[in-house]
Amino acid sequence: MKAIKPSLAKGTRDFTPVEMEKRNHIYNTLKTIFKKYGYSEIQTPSFENLSTLTGKYGDEGDKLIFKILNSGDYLSKAPEKLLEEKKSTELISSISEKALRYDLTVPFARYVVMHQHEITLPFKRFQIQPVWRADRPQRGRYREFYQCDVDVVGSDSLLNEAEFILIYQEALTKLGLQDFNIKLNNRKILSGIAEVVGKPELIVDMTVAIDKLDKIGLEGVNKELLERGFTEEDLAVLKPIIELSGTNLEKLTALKSVLVDSAVGLQGIAEIETVFDYLQKLGQGSLLEKIVEVDITLARGLNYYTGCIFEVKTNEVQMGSIGGGGRYDDLTGMFGLKDLTGVGVSFGADRIYDVLEELNLFPPSNAERTKVLIINFDKELEGFTLPLLYQLRDAGIAAELYPAAVKLKKQMSYADAKQVPYVLLIGDEEVRSGELSLKNMESGEQEKLGIAALIEKLK
Amino acid sequence: MKAIKPSLAKGTRDFTPVEMEKRNHIYNTLKTIFKKYGYSEIQTPSFENLSTLTGKYGDEGDKLIFKILNSGDYLSKAPEKLLEEKKSTELISSISEKALRYDLTVPFARYVVMHQHEITLPFKRFQIQPVWRADRPQRGRYREFYQCDVDVVGSDSLLNEAEFILIYQEALTKLGLQDFNIKLNNRKILSGIAEVVGKPELIVDMTVAIDKLDKIGLEGVNKELLERGFTEEDLAVLKPIIELSGTNLEKLTALKSVLVDSAVGLQGIAEIETVFDYLQKLGQGSLLEKIVEVDITLARGLNYYTGCIFEVKTNEVQMGSIGGGGRYDDLTGMFGLKDLTGVGVSFGADRIYDVLEELNLFPPSNAERTKVLIINFDKELEGFTLPLLYQLRDAGIAAELYPAAVKLKKQMSYADAKQVPYVLLIGDEEVRSGELSLKNMESGEQEKLGIAALIEKLK
C-alpha cells in the first residue's frame, strides 16, 4: 500500500482530548438544563432519504445538501440523455437516494410524524448532533458542525416560550457569560405592520429591509424599501416603528397604538405580553429589564415562523447570534400531519465554544483527566506498583502506571502533556517504608503518604 | 409543497428518549471506565477524503464505503468515455472526493499522523462515534451503527494488553453481564504453527480453516485444510494443536512443546505469559481461571494484527462477539509514519444494547427523567404553581407544569407516558393551606407536604 499524505476533508475538524473536554462541558451543561425543564433526548440518523430533505430549505439549501452516491452500479438507472449532456443536477435523483442531514428540524418533523402513535403530546425533545452543509468553509464556518435543538410540539401554551427564555438565561449564565441579550419578536407583529402600511403582500420585502437597520441605518433601509415597492407615504408610517426605542413596555405601548387597527398585529403584541406575564409569575420579571429585548427588526427565516421569534447575542465578544428559534405552526405538514404547532430554540455550540474560548471561561481543570501517574522506575517494582494501581482505580481514581521503565524525564513530560495533577514516585525506599512520594505537578511540592492517606487525598 | 410519506433511509434508526437513556447508560459506563484507565476522548469528522479510506479495507470493504457526491457540477470533470460506457466504479474518483467513515481505526491512524507533533506518546484515546457501511441491512445489522474503540499507540508494553482485559471485565460486569469470555490468541503463535507445519506461506488459509472449528468440527476443518494445500502429514501435526484443551496453563504448556523449534511461536507464547503475569500482579489472577481463555482458533482479521488478539463473547445470550481487538505493529504506516505500534479493543455498543435488553439488565428507572409534573387544574392557579415550578428547578429537580389546564386524564396520561414518578395536584385548597398533594405514580399513594418538605423529598 502506498503511503498517502493524510489530510482532513475540507471544512471538517478533529477534536483533540482537550477540545473534547471543552465541548463536553458545553453539551453536559446544556443537557442538564434541558432535562431539568422536562426535555428528553432523541437522535436521528446521519443520513435521510433524499426526498425527505429536498425542497425544505429553498433552492440554495438544496444545493448545500451533501448527497450520498448509491451503492453498486449507481449509473444503471441514469437516463442516457442526461448522462450525455452531463446534466449534473437533473441526474442526482437517479444516482443518489440518500443525503446527510442539513439541520435537526426536518429530521425531527419526520420523527414526529413517523412516531406519532407512540408519542404523547406535548412532546418535548432535545437533540445534539452534527449537521452537514456543502458551504464554502471559512473562519468559524464548517461543513460539519453541531446543533443543539430544544423543541416542544403539540402545545400552543406561551409558557413554552417563557421557559425557553429561562433556558437560555440559565444555560448561558452557567457557562459563564455575563452580558447577553435575548431578542424577541413576533411574526404576527410583522404581519400587522405590513397590514397597517397597506402592503401585506410585501411583508417579506419589508422585513428583509428592516432587518438591515443595524448595518445600513434608517436611510439605507428607506432606500431599500422604496426599491422593493413601498412609497414615501409608507415610509412615513413605518418610520416610528423602525425607530422604536425605550423599554420593552414603552415599545409595546407604542406598537399597540400603531397597530390598533390590525387584529393580527395586536394578537402578536398580546402574545409577547403573555410571555412577559409568565416570566413575572416565574419570579423572573427582572430579565425583562436587562436581558430580554423586544426587537421588531428581528426576522430569522420569516416564512417559517408564525409566532414568537428569538435570537440571542453576546455583547462580550464580536460574534453573530449564538442561538435563535421561534414558533412554527406547521412543522409536520410537509410530511402530511397537519396543524401540529411547535416552538423551539437552538444553541450554536460551535460559536458558543469560540466565545467561551475567547473569554477564557472554560473551567481550568477537569474531572475527565488522569489524576495520578505512577512513575515506572524499574520493572522489578511492578510487583508493588501494579497492586497499588489496581487499588487506586478500585477507589474510583483515574490512575496510570507509565507502561515502561524509561527515563524519568520522558515520564514527567508525559504527565505534563496530559496535565496530570499528581505523580507518584516509588523507589525501593518507598516500597520498604510504605510511605509513597506524591508530587503535586502544579506547585512542585512533594509529600510522603501511606496508601490509605494517598487514596483519601486523591479521591 | 406536496406532503410526502416520511420514511427512514434503509438500515438506519431513530433513537427514542427511552432508547437514548439506555444507550447513554452504556456509553457513560464505558466512558467512566476508559477515563479511569487514563484514556482520553477524541472525535474525528464523519467524512474523510475518499483517498484516506480507499484501499484500507480490501476490495469488498471499498464497495461498502458510502461515497459523497461532489457539490455543484460534479460531472464536469468526469471523463466522457467512462460516462458513455456507464463505468460506475471507475467514475467514482472523478465525481466523489469524500466518503463516510467505515470504522474508527483508519481515521484514528490519520489523526495520529496529522497530530504527531502535538501528541506525547504513549497516546491513549477512546472514541465513541457512529460508522457507516453500505451492507445489506438485516436483523441486528445496520448501515449506521456505533463503535466504541479504545487504543494506545506508541507503547509496546504488554501491560496495555492486560489492562484491556481488565477494562472488558470491569465494563461488562458493571453493565450487569455475569457470564462472558475474553478469548485471547497471538498472531505469532499462528505464525509459529504455520512454520512448524512447514507451510508459513499458508498461514492465512490455515487460520481461516481452523477458525471454523466451532461450526464445522475437526473433520470439516481437515477437509478444508486439504483443499487449501495442506497434506495428510500436516494434518497429523496440526491435530493436537487444533484440539488443544484444558486450562490456559495446560494449553500453553502443550503449545510450548509443539512450537519448541519456532522462535516466533515461542515469542507469542511468552507474550501471553507476560499478560497473564501482569494480571496476577494486578491481583486479578482469578480471571485466568474463569473469564480469560487462550483460543488458538481465534483469528480476527489476521493480516492486520501482529501480536495479541482478543475477542469477547457472552454466554448468556445467543450473539456474535460483543468486542474484540488486538495489537498491530504498523497502524500509521499507511499514512507514512512507520513503526508505531498500537494495541486496541472495541466494544460493539449496538450488540451490547441488544444483550442487555434481552437479559433485562437496563436500570429500571433513571435520573434522566422529569421527576415531578405539576397538574394544571386552572390557569388562575398559575400565580401559585409557576413560582413553585421555578423553586423546584432551582433546587435541581427536573420538573414540569403541564402547559395548559386540560382534562386531568390527559395530564395523567402524559405523566404515565413519560414515566414521571410523581405528580403534584394543586387546587384551591392546597393553595390556601400550603400543603401540597404529591402522588406517587407507581404506588398510587398520595401525601400532603409543605414546600420545603416537598423539595427535600424530590431532591
PDB file of all heavy atoms in Angstrom, chain A residues 7 14-15 38 43 46 49 67 69 73-74 88 110 144 418, chain B residues 7 14-15 37-38 43 46 49 67 69 73-74 88 110 144 418:
ATOM      1  N   SER A   7      -4.814  14.011   5.224  1.00  0.00           N
ATOM      2  CA  SER A   7      -5.406  15.347   5.326  1.00  0.00           C
ATOM      3  C   SER A   7      -6.856  15.219   5.744  1.00  0.00           C
ATOM      4  O   SER A   7      -7.459  14.152   5.629  1.00  0.00           O
ATOM      5  CB  SER A   7      -5.315  16.056   3.973  1.00  0.00           C
ATOM      6  OG  SER A   7      -6.046  15.313   3.012  1.00  0.00           O
ATOM      7  N   ASP A  14     -10.855  17.657  13.450  1.00  0.00           N
ATOM      8  CA  ASP A  14     -10.663  16.680  14.524  1.00  0.00           C
ATOM      9  C   ASP A  14     -10.872  17.406  15.837  1.00  0.00           C
ATOM     10  O   ASP A  14     -10.607  18.610  15.940  1.00  0.00           O
ATOM     11  CB  ASP A  14      -9.215  16.168  14.515  1.00  0.00           C
ATOM     12  CG  ASP A  14      -8.943  15.191  13.378  1.00  0.00           C
ATOM     13  OD1 ASP A  14      -9.863  14.452  13.001  1.00  0.00           O
ATOM     14  OD2 ASP A  14      -7.797  15.172  12.887  1.00  0.00           O
ATOM     15  N   PHE A  15     -11.314  16.674  16.852  1.00  0.00           N
ATOM     16  CA  PHE A  15     -11.362  17.243  18.195  1.00  0.00           C
ATOM     17  C   PHE A  15     -10.400  16.483  19.089  1.00  0.00           C
ATOM     18  O   PHE A  15     -10.536  15.277  19.291  1.00  0.00           O
ATOM     19  CB  PHE A  15     -12.784  17.196  18.756  1.00  0.00           C
ATOM     20  CG  PHE A  15     -13.756  18.014  17.943  1.00  0.00           C
ATOM     21  CD1 PHE A  15     -14.876  17.435  17.377  1.00  0.00           C
ATOM     22  CD2 PHE A  15     -13.533  19.363  17.734  1.00  0.00           C
ATOM     23  CE1 PHE A  15     -15.756  18.181  16.608  1.00  0.00           C
ATOM     24  CE2 PHE A  15     -14.410  20.125  16.975  1.00  0.00           C
ATOM     25  CZ  PHE A  15     -15.531  19.531  16.405  1.00  0.00           C
ATOM     26  N   GLY A  38     -37.655  19.239  31.573  1.00  0.00           N
ATOM     27  CA  GLY A  38     -38.551  18.185  31.082  1.00  0.00           C
ATOM     28  C   GLY A  38     -38.336  17.747  29.653  1.00  0.00           C
ATOM     29  O   GLY A  38     -39.176  17.050  29.088  1.00  0.00           O
ATOM     30  N   GLN A  43     -32.240  10.912  19.066  1.00  0.00           N
ATOM     31  CA  GLN A  43     -31.275  11.058  17.975  1.00  0.00           C
ATOM     32  C   GLN A  43     -31.894  10.507  16.699  1.00  0.00           C
ATOM     33  O   GLN A  43     -32.686   9.567  16.741  1.00  0.00           O
ATOM     34  CB  GLN A  43     -29.968  10.332  18.283  1.00  0.00           C
ATOM     35  CG  GLN A  43     -29.112  11.068  19.310  1.00  0.00           C
ATOM     36  CD  GLN A  43     -27.717  10.503  19.456  1.00  0.00           C
ATOM     37  OE1 GLN A  43     -27.396   9.433  18.961  1.00  0.00           O
ATOM     38  NE2 GLN A  43     -26.852  11.241  20.152  1.00  0.00           N
ATOM     39  N   SER A  46     -27.777   9.917  10.645  1.00  0.00           N
ATOM     40  CA  SER A  46     -26.975  10.945   9.990  1.00  0.00           C
ATOM     41  C   SER A  46     -27.460  11.200   8.569  1.00  0.00           C
ATOM     42  O   SER A  46     -27.384  12.310   8.083  1.00  0.00           O
ATOM     43  CB  SER A  46     -25.509  10.521   9.944  1.00  0.00           C
ATOM     44  OG  SER A  46     -25.039  10.369  11.253  1.00  0.00           O
ATOM     45  N   ASN A  49     -33.453   9.736   3.595  1.00  0.00           N
ATOM     46  CA  ASN A  49     -33.791   9.645   2.184  1.00  0.00           C
ATOM     47  C   ASN A  49     -33.745  11.059   1.601  1.00  0.00           C
ATOM     48  O   ASN A  49     -34.212  12.009   2.226  1.00  0.00           O
ATOM     49  CB  ASN A  49     -35.179   9.045   2.005  1.00  0.00           C
ATOM     50  CG  ASN A  49     -35.190   7.551   2.316  1.00  0.00           C
ATOM     51  OD1 ASN A  49     -34.250   6.831   1.953  1.00  0.00           O
ATOM     52  ND2 ASN A  49     -36.220   7.091   2.995  1.00  0.00           N
ATOM     53  N   LYS A  67     -25.066  14.948  -0.889  1.00  0.00           N
ATOM     54  CA  LYS A  67     -25.763  13.754  -1.384  1.00  0.00           C
ATOM     55  C   LYS A  67     -24.835  12.542  -1.352  1.00  0.00           C
ATOM     56  O   LYS A  67     -23.642  12.661  -1.659  1.00  0.00           O
ATOM     57  CB  LYS A  67     -26.238  13.971  -2.825  1.00  0.00           C
ATOM     58  CG  LYS A  67     -27.452  14.877  -2.953  1.00  0.00           C
ATOM     59  CD  LYS A  67     -27.025  16.279  -3.301  1.00  0.00           C
ATOM     60  CE  LYS A  67     -28.182  17.261  -3.324  1.00  0.00           C
ATOM     61  NZ  LYS A  67     -27.646  18.661  -3.419  1.00  0.00           N
ATOM     62  N   LEU A  69     -23.812   8.942  -2.870  1.00  0.00           N
ATOM     63  CA  LEU A  69     -23.905   8.155  -4.091  1.00  0.00           C
ATOM     64  C   LEU A  69     -24.507   6.783  -3.767  1.00  0.00           C
ATOM     65  O   LEU A  69     -24.141   6.156  -2.778  1.00  0.00           O
ATOM     66  CB  LEU A  69     -22.480   7.990  -4.640  1.00  0.00           C
ATOM     67  CG  LEU A  69     -22.274   7.734  -6.111  1.00  0.00           C
ATOM     68  CD1 LEU A  69     -22.965   8.775  -6.970  1.00  0.00           C
ATOM     69  CD2 LEU A  69     -20.770   7.728  -6.402  1.00  0.00           C
ATOM     70  N   ASP A  73     -23.750  -0.454  -8.855  1.00  0.00           N
ATOM     71  CA  ASP A  73     -23.728   0.140 -10.197  1.00  0.00           C
ATOM     72  C   ASP A  73     -24.708   1.302 -10.247  1.00  0.00           C
ATOM     73  O   ASP A  73     -25.781   1.222 -10.846  1.00  0.00           O
ATOM     74  CB  ASP A  73     -24.089  -0.926 -11.225  1.00  0.00           C
ATOM     75  CG  ASP A  73     -23.914  -0.404 -12.646  1.00  0.00           C
ATOM     76  OD1 ASP A  73     -23.343   0.702 -12.803  1.00  0.00           O
ATOM     77  OD2 ASP A  73     -24.354  -1.092 -13.569  1.00  0.00           O
ATOM     78  N   TYR A  74     -24.302   2.400  -9.651  1.00  0.00           N
ATOM     79  CA  TYR A  74     -25.231   3.516  -9.448  1.00  0.00           C
ATOM     80  C   TYR A  74     -25.666   4.183 -10.745  1.00  0.00           C
ATOM     81  O   TYR A  74     -26.652   4.898 -10.771  1.00  0.00           O
ATOM     82  CB  TYR A  74     -24.599   4.559  -8.509  1.00  0.00           C
ATOM     83  CG  TYR A  74     -23.298   5.117  -9.022  1.00  0.00           C
ATOM     84  CD1 TYR A  74     -23.283   6.226  -9.851  1.00  0.00           C
ATOM     85  CD2 TYR A  74     -22.090   4.514  -8.693  1.00  0.00           C
ATOM     86  CE1 TYR A  74     -22.094   6.735 -10.339  1.00  0.00           C
ATOM     87  CE2 TYR A  74     -20.905   5.007  -9.177  1.00  0.00           C
ATOM     88  CZ  TYR A  74     -20.898   6.121  -9.996  1.00  0.00           C
ATOM     89  OH  TYR A  74     -19.713   6.608 -10.483  1.00  0.00           O
ATOM     90  N   SER A  88     -25.693  17.462 -14.414  1.00  0.00           N
ATOM     91  CA  SER A  88     -25.387  17.051 -13.038  1.00  0.00           C
ATOM     92  C   SER A  88     -26.616  17.122 -12.132  1.00  0.00           C
ATOM     93  O   SER A  88     -26.954  16.161 -11.438  1.00  0.00           O
ATOM     94  CB  SER A  88     -24.282  17.938 -12.455  1.00  0.00           C
ATOM     95  OG  SER A  88     -23.056  17.675 -13.071  1.00  0.00           O
ATOM     96  N   ARG A 110     -39.909  14.673  10.626  1.00  0.00           N
ATOM     97  CA  ARG A 110     -40.111  13.311  10.139  1.00  0.00           C
ATOM     98  C   ARG A 110     -40.297  12.348  11.316  1.00  0.00           C
ATOM     99  O   ARG A 110     -41.178  11.479  11.309  1.00  0.00           O
ATOM    100  CB  ARG A 110     -38.911  12.871   9.277  1.00  0.00           C
ATOM    101  CG  ARG A 110     -39.088  11.444   8.776  1.00  0.00           C
ATOM    102  CD  ARG A 110     -37.814  10.748   8.345  1.00  0.00           C
ATOM    103  NE  ARG A 110     -36.697  10.814   9.268  1.00  0.00           N
ATOM    104  CZ  ARG A 110     -36.623  10.182  10.443  1.00  0.00           C
ATOM    105  NH1 ARG A 110     -37.625   9.435  10.893  1.00  0.00           N
ATOM    106  NH2 ARG A 110     -35.549  10.316  11.203  1.00  0.00           N
ATOM    107  N   GLU A 144     -19.050  20.481   8.731  1.00  0.00           N
ATOM    108  CA  GLU A 144     -19.645  19.615   9.757  1.00  0.00           C
ATOM    109  C   GLU A 144     -19.656  20.418  11.040  1.00  0.00           C
ATOM    110  O   GLU A 144     -18.601  20.850  11.497  1.00  0.00           O
ATOM    111  CB  GLU A 144     -18.827  18.342   9.946  1.00  0.00           C
ATOM    112  CG  GLU A 144     -19.293  17.513  11.136  1.00  0.00           C
ATOM    113  CD  GLU A 144     -18.525  16.211  11.307  1.00  0.00           C
ATOM    114  OE1 GLU A 144     -17.351  16.247  11.724  1.00  0.00           O
ATOM    115  OE2 GLU A 144     -19.093  15.152  11.030  1.00  0.00           O
ATOM    116  N   LYS A 418      -0.224  15.583  29.469  1.00  0.00           N
ATOM    117  CA  LYS A 418      -1.576  15.126  29.759  1.00  0.00           C
ATOM    118  C   LYS A 418      -2.220  15.936  30.876  1.00  0.00           C
ATOM    119  O   LYS A 418      -3.347  15.685  31.257  1.00  0.00           O
ATOM    120  CB  LYS A 418      -1.526  13.648  30.155  1.00  0.00           C
ATOM    121  CG  LYS A 418      -2.394  12.775  29.278  1.00  0.00           C
ATOM    122  CD  LYS A 418      -2.287  11.325  29.612  1.00  0.00           C
ATOM    123  CE  LYS A 418      -3.635  10.657  29.393  1.00  0.00           C
ATOM    124  NZ  LYS A 418      -3.537   9.207  29.271  1.00  0.00           N
TER     125      LYS A 418
ATOM    126  N   SER B   7     -40.170   8.387   5.683  1.00  0.00           N
ATOM    127  CA  SER B   7     -39.592   7.064   5.926  1.00  0.00           C
ATOM    128  C   SER B   7     -38.127   7.236   6.315  1.00  0.00           C
ATOM    129  O   SER B   7     -37.525   8.274   6.074  1.00  0.00           O
ATOM    130  CB  SER B   7     -39.688   6.216   4.666  1.00  0.00           C
ATOM    131  OG  SER B   7     -38.973   6.852   3.617  1.00  0.00           O
ATOM    132  N   ASP B  14     -34.046   5.665  14.203  1.00  0.00           N
ATOM    133  CA  ASP B  14     -34.232   6.740  15.162  1.00  0.00           C
ATOM    134  C   ASP B  14     -33.998   6.165  16.552  1.00  0.00           C
ATOM    135  O   ASP B  14     -34.261   4.984  16.787  1.00  0.00           O
ATOM    136  CB  ASP B  14     -35.678   7.253  15.118  1.00  0.00           C
ATOM    137  CG  ASP B  14     -35.962   8.105  13.887  1.00  0.00           C
ATOM    138  OD1 ASP B  14     -35.049   8.797  13.426  1.00  0.00           O
ATOM    139  OD2 ASP B  14     -37.105   8.068  13.407  1.00  0.00           O
ATOM    140  N   PHE B  15     -33.547   7.015  17.476  1.00  0.00           N
ATOM    141  CA  PHE B  15     -33.483   6.594  18.873  1.00  0.00           C
ATOM    142  C   PHE B  15     -34.441   7.442  19.694  1.00  0.00           C
ATOM    143  O   PHE B  15     -34.301   8.659  19.761  1.00  0.00           O
ATOM    144  CB  PHE B  15     -32.056   6.701  19.409  1.00  0.00           C
ATOM    145  CG  PHE B  15     -31.091   5.809  18.686  1.00  0.00           C
ATOM    146  CD1 PHE B  15     -29.977   6.321  18.048  1.00  0.00           C
ATOM    147  CD2 PHE B  15     -31.312   4.442  18.617  1.00  0.00           C
ATOM    148  CE1 PHE B  15     -29.092   5.504  17.365  1.00  0.00           C
ATOM    149  CE2 PHE B  15     -30.447   3.599  17.943  1.00  0.00           C
ATOM    150  CZ  PHE B  15     -29.329   4.136  17.307  1.00  0.00           C
ATOM    151  N   TYR B  37      -8.835   4.470  33.402  1.00  0.00           N
ATOM    152  CA  TYR B  37      -7.612   3.805  32.943  1.00  0.00           C
ATOM    153  C   TYR B  37      -6.704   4.763  32.169  1.00  0.00           C
ATOM    154  O   TYR B  37      -5.712   4.338  31.574  1.00  0.00           O
ATOM    155  CB  TYR B  37      -7.972   2.581  32.089  1.00  0.00           C
ATOM    156  CG  TYR B  37      -8.360   1.385  32.940  1.00  0.00           C
ATOM    157  CD1 TYR B  37      -9.628   1.280  33.505  1.00  0.00           C
ATOM    158  CD2 TYR B  37      -7.441   0.363  33.209  1.00  0.00           C
ATOM    159  CE1 TYR B  37      -9.978   0.214  34.299  1.00  0.00           C
ATOM    160  CE2 TYR B  37      -7.783  -0.724  34.002  1.00  0.00           C
ATOM    161  CZ  TYR B  37      -9.052  -0.791  34.548  1.00  0.00           C
ATOM    162  OH  TYR B  37      -9.399  -1.863  35.338  1.00  0.00           O
ATOM    163  N   GLY B  38      -7.067   6.047  32.147  1.00  0.00           N
ATOM    164  CA  GLY B  38      -6.167   7.032  31.548  1.00  0.00           C
ATOM    165  C   GLY B  38      -6.401   7.323  30.072  1.00  0.00           C
ATOM    166  O   GLY B  38      -5.556   7.948  29.435  1.00  0.00           O
ATOM    167  N   GLN B  43     -12.596  12.975  18.861  1.00  0.00           N
ATOM    168  CA  GLN B  43     -13.571  12.704  17.810  1.00  0.00           C
ATOM    169  C   GLN B  43     -12.963  13.115  16.478  1.00  0.00           C
ATOM    170  O   GLN B  43     -12.179  14.056  16.394  1.00  0.00           O
ATOM    171  CB  GLN B  43     -14.884  13.457  18.053  1.00  0.00           C
ATOM    172  CG  GLN B  43     -15.703  12.850  19.177  1.00  0.00           C
ATOM    173  CD  GLN B  43     -17.120  13.407  19.265  1.00  0.00           C
ATOM    174  OE1 GLN B  43     -17.444  14.413  18.639  1.00  0.00           O
ATOM    175  NE2 GLN B  43     -17.961  12.760  20.046  1.00  0.00           N
ATOM    176  N   SER B  46     -17.149  13.033  10.423  1.00  0.00           N
ATOM    177  CA  SER B  46     -17.958  11.940   9.882  1.00  0.00           C
ATOM    178  C   SER B  46     -17.489  11.527   8.499  1.00  0.00           C
ATOM    179  O   SER B  46     -17.562  10.367   8.140  1.00  0.00           O
ATOM    180  CB  SER B  46     -19.421  12.363   9.816  1.00  0.00           C
ATOM    181  OG  SER B  46     -19.878  12.645  11.108  1.00  0.00           O
ATOM    182  N   ASN B  49     -11.556  12.456   3.349  1.00  0.00           N
ATOM    183  CA  ASN B  49     -11.230  12.389   1.936  1.00  0.00           C
ATOM    184  C   ASN B  49     -11.283  10.928   1.502  1.00  0.00           C
ATOM    185  O   ASN B  49     -10.817  10.047   2.226  1.00  0.00           O
ATOM    186  CB  ASN B  49      -9.840  12.974   1.679  1.00  0.00           C
ATOM    187  CG  ASN B  49      -9.825  14.486   1.830  1.00  0.00           C
ATOM    188  OD1 ASN B  49     -10.774  15.163   1.409  1.00  0.00           O
ATOM    189  ND2 ASN B  49      -8.781  15.021   2.432  1.00  0.00           N
ATOM    190  N   LYS B  67     -19.985   6.790  -0.469  1.00  0.00           N
ATOM    191  CA  LYS B  67     -19.298   7.925  -1.101  1.00  0.00           C
ATOM    192  C   LYS B  67     -20.231   9.129  -1.182  1.00  0.00           C
ATOM    193  O   LYS B  67     -21.423   8.984  -1.465  1.00  0.00           O
ATOM    194  CB  LYS B  67     -18.831   7.565  -2.510  1.00  0.00           C
ATOM    195  CG  LYS B  67     -17.606   6.658  -2.545  1.00  0.00           C
ATOM    196  CD  LYS B  67     -18.029   5.221  -2.735  1.00  0.00           C
ATOM    197  CE  LYS B  67     -16.873   4.239  -2.656  1.00  0.00           C
ATOM    198  NZ  LYS B  67     -17.403   2.842  -2.601  1.00  0.00           N
ATOM    199  N   LEU B  69     -21.276  12.551  -3.085  1.00  0.00           N
ATOM    200  CA  LEU B  69     -21.181  13.198  -4.388  1.00  0.00           C
ATOM    201  C   LEU B  69     -20.579  14.597  -4.228  1.00  0.00           C
ATOM    202  O   LEU B  69     -20.953  15.325  -3.312  1.00  0.00           O
ATOM    203  CB  LEU B  69     -22.613  13.301  -4.931  1.00  0.00           C
ATOM    204  CG  LEU B  69     -22.853  13.398  -6.424  1.00  0.00           C
ATOM    205  CD1 LEU B  69     -22.167  12.263  -7.165  1.00  0.00           C
ATOM    206  CD2 LEU B  69     -24.362  13.359  -6.689  1.00  0.00           C
ATOM    207  N   ASP B  73     -21.374  21.238 -10.036  1.00  0.00           N
ATOM    208  CA  ASP B  73     -21.426  20.494 -11.299  1.00  0.00           C
ATOM    209  C   ASP B  73     -20.445  19.336 -11.249  1.00  0.00           C
ATOM    210  O   ASP B  73     -19.389  19.347 -11.865  1.00  0.00           O
ATOM    211  CB  ASP B  73     -21.091  21.452 -12.446  1.00  0.00           C
ATOM    212  CG  ASP B  73     -21.274  20.775 -13.795  1.00  0.00           C
ATOM    213  OD1 ASP B  73     -21.844  19.655 -13.829  1.00  0.00           O
ATOM    214  OD2 ASP B  73     -20.846  21.348 -14.800  1.00  0.00           O
ATOM    215  N   TYR B  74     -20.858  18.303 -10.523  1.00  0.00           N
ATOM    216  CA  TYR B  74     -19.927  17.209 -10.211  1.00  0.00           C
ATOM    217  C   TYR B  74     -19.492  16.419 -11.438  1.00  0.00           C
ATOM    218  O   TYR B  74     -18.501  15.711 -11.408  1.00  0.00           O
ATOM    219  CB  TYR B  74     -20.550  16.266  -9.170  1.00  0.00           C
ATOM    220  CG  TYR B  74     -21.850  15.659  -9.610  1.00  0.00           C
ATOM    221  CD1 TYR B  74     -21.885  14.467 -10.310  1.00  0.00           C
ATOM    222  CD2 TYR B  74     -23.047  16.312  -9.342  1.00  0.00           C
ATOM    223  CE1 TYR B  74     -23.087  13.921 -10.726  1.00  0.00           C
ATOM    224  CE2 TYR B  74     -24.249  15.781  -9.750  1.00  0.00           C
ATOM    225  CZ  TYR B  74     -24.274  14.588 -10.451  1.00  0.00           C
ATOM    226  OH  TYR B  74     -25.458  14.059 -10.862  1.00  0.00           O
ATOM    227  N   SER B  88     -19.494   2.817 -13.645  1.00  0.00           N
ATOM    228  CA  SER B  88     -19.785   3.367 -12.317  1.00  0.00           C
ATOM    229  C   SER B  88     -18.543   3.400 -11.429  1.00  0.00           C
ATOM    230  O   SER B  88     -18.190   4.435 -10.859  1.00  0.00           O
ATOM    231  CB  SER B  88     -20.876   2.551 -11.633  1.00  0.00           C
ATOM    232  OG  SER B  88     -22.112   2.755 -12.262  1.00  0.00           O
ATOM    233  N   ARG B 110      -5.035   8.286  10.826  1.00  0.00           N
ATOM    234  CA  ARG B 110      -4.834   9.597  10.182  1.00  0.00           C
ATOM    235  C   ARG B 110      -4.631  10.683  11.240  1.00  0.00           C
ATOM    236  O   ARG B 110      -3.758  11.537  11.131  1.00  0.00           O
ATOM    237  CB  ARG B 110      -6.039   9.939   9.299  1.00  0.00           C
ATOM    238  CG  ARG B 110      -5.875  11.310   8.633  1.00  0.00           C
ATOM    239  CD  ARG B 110      -7.156  11.927   8.148  1.00  0.00           C
ATOM    240  NE  ARG B 110      -8.243  11.964   9.093  1.00  0.00           N
ATOM    241  CZ  ARG B 110      -8.320  12.750  10.171  1.00  0.00           C
ATOM    242  NH1 ARG B 110      -7.340  13.574  10.489  1.00  0.00           N
ATOM    243  NH2 ARG B 110      -9.373  12.692  10.972  1.00  0.00           N
ATOM    244  N   GLU B 144     -25.899   2.331   9.748  1.00  0.00           N
ATOM    245  CA  GLU B 144     -25.296   3.297  10.673  1.00  0.00           C
ATOM    246  C   GLU B 144     -25.273   2.633  12.041  1.00  0.00           C
ATOM    247  O   GLU B 144     -26.326   2.242  12.545  1.00  0.00           O
ATOM    248  CB  GLU B 144     -26.122   4.587  10.730  1.00  0.00           C
ATOM    249  CG  GLU B 144     -25.658   5.531  11.830  1.00  0.00           C
ATOM    250  CD  GLU B 144     -26.418   6.860  11.842  1.00  0.00           C
ATOM    251  OE1 GLU B 144     -27.597   6.881  12.245  1.00  0.00           O
ATOM    252  OE2 GLU B 144     -25.829   7.858  11.454  1.00  0.00           O
ATOM    253  N   LYS B 418     -44.504   9.448  30.003  1.00  0.00           N
ATOM    254  CA  LYS B 418     -43.150   9.938  30.232  1.00  0.00           C
ATOM    255  C   LYS B 418     -42.493   9.258  31.426  1.00  0.00           C
ATOM    256  O   LYS B 418     -41.355   9.542  31.771  1.00  0.00           O
ATOM    257  CB  LYS B 418     -43.196  11.453  30.473  1.00  0.00           C
ATOM    258  CG  LYS B 418     -42.346  12.230  29.492  1.00  0.00           C
ATOM    259  CD  LYS B 418     -42.451  13.708  29.658  1.00  0.00           C
ATOM    260  CE  LYS B 418     -41.112  14.340  29.356  1.00  0.00           C
ATOM    261  NZ  LYS B 418     -41.203  15.763  29.075  1.00  0.00           N
TER     262      LYS B 418
END
